[in-house]
Amino acid sequence: MPLRMKLDAITLDCPDPSALAAFYHQATGLEPHPESNADFAGLSRADGLLLGFQRVDDHRAPSWPGQAVPQQLHICFSVGEDLDEVEARLLELGAGKPEFQPHDAARARVFTDPAGHPFCLVRS
């Protein structure tokens, strides 16, 4: 029988929590957590899920798709809008787009956030 645990938070290591929180705030519309500070910043969803960002000295960005520095985590976001429009906006916000794309570009695309964490956009 499963324990029925509820996911409450996902936290990413990064060099600048405030900057990474700002990127994801603009990308997702999640609300900034009122107790965010220079060492830990968070974004909250109405159902209570927290996306957190914690400062790590000497943070090394993942080297996706290579594994010299493993990706550690991979987040997927579904989008109903045109993927080309969402991609353009993410690139304006500071996302990167790796040359290697393992999926059909009409269905899903891989990006990296400003701290190097890979994430996918998947057409919903």
Side-chain angles (χ1 to χ4, degrees):
M1 172 182 273
L3 294 174
R4 299 179 193 229
M5 299 184 324
K6 178 185 172 224
L7 180 63
D8 286 328
I10 298 169
T11 301
L12 301 165
D13 292 349
C14 62
D16 185 344
S18 298
L20 199 54
F23 168 81
Y24 278 104
H25 169 67
Q26 292 177 46
T28 66
L30 294 174
E31 291 299 318
H33 192 277
E35 296 179 26
S36 295
N37 59 52
D39 291 320
F40 184 89
L43 300 173
S44 301
R45 198 167 67 182
D47 66 1
L49 180 66
L50 176 80
L51 183 55
F53 311 96
Q54 66 186 5
R55 179 179 306 284
V56 171
D57 293 330
D58 301 321
H59 176 264
R60 292 178 45 204
S63 59
W64 191 90
Q67 293 298 303
V69 179
Q71 64 181 338
Q72 304 145 14
L73 178 73
H74 189 105
I75 302 173
C76 292
F77 296 94
S78 61
V79 294
E81 298 102 39
D82 180 285
L83 284 177
D84 290 334
E85 290 177 27
V86 177
E87 175 179 323
R89 181 69 177 126
L90 286 170
L91 295 174
E92 287 174 7
L93 294 174
K97 185 177 179 188
E99 186 175 320
F100 176 69
Q101 294 289 316
H103 308 290
D104 172 10
R107 187 178 59 85
R109 298 176 191 173
V110 178
F111 297 90
T112 54
D113 68 25
H117 304 104
F119 66 94
C120 280
L121 291 184
V122 179
R123 182 179 303 284
S124 57

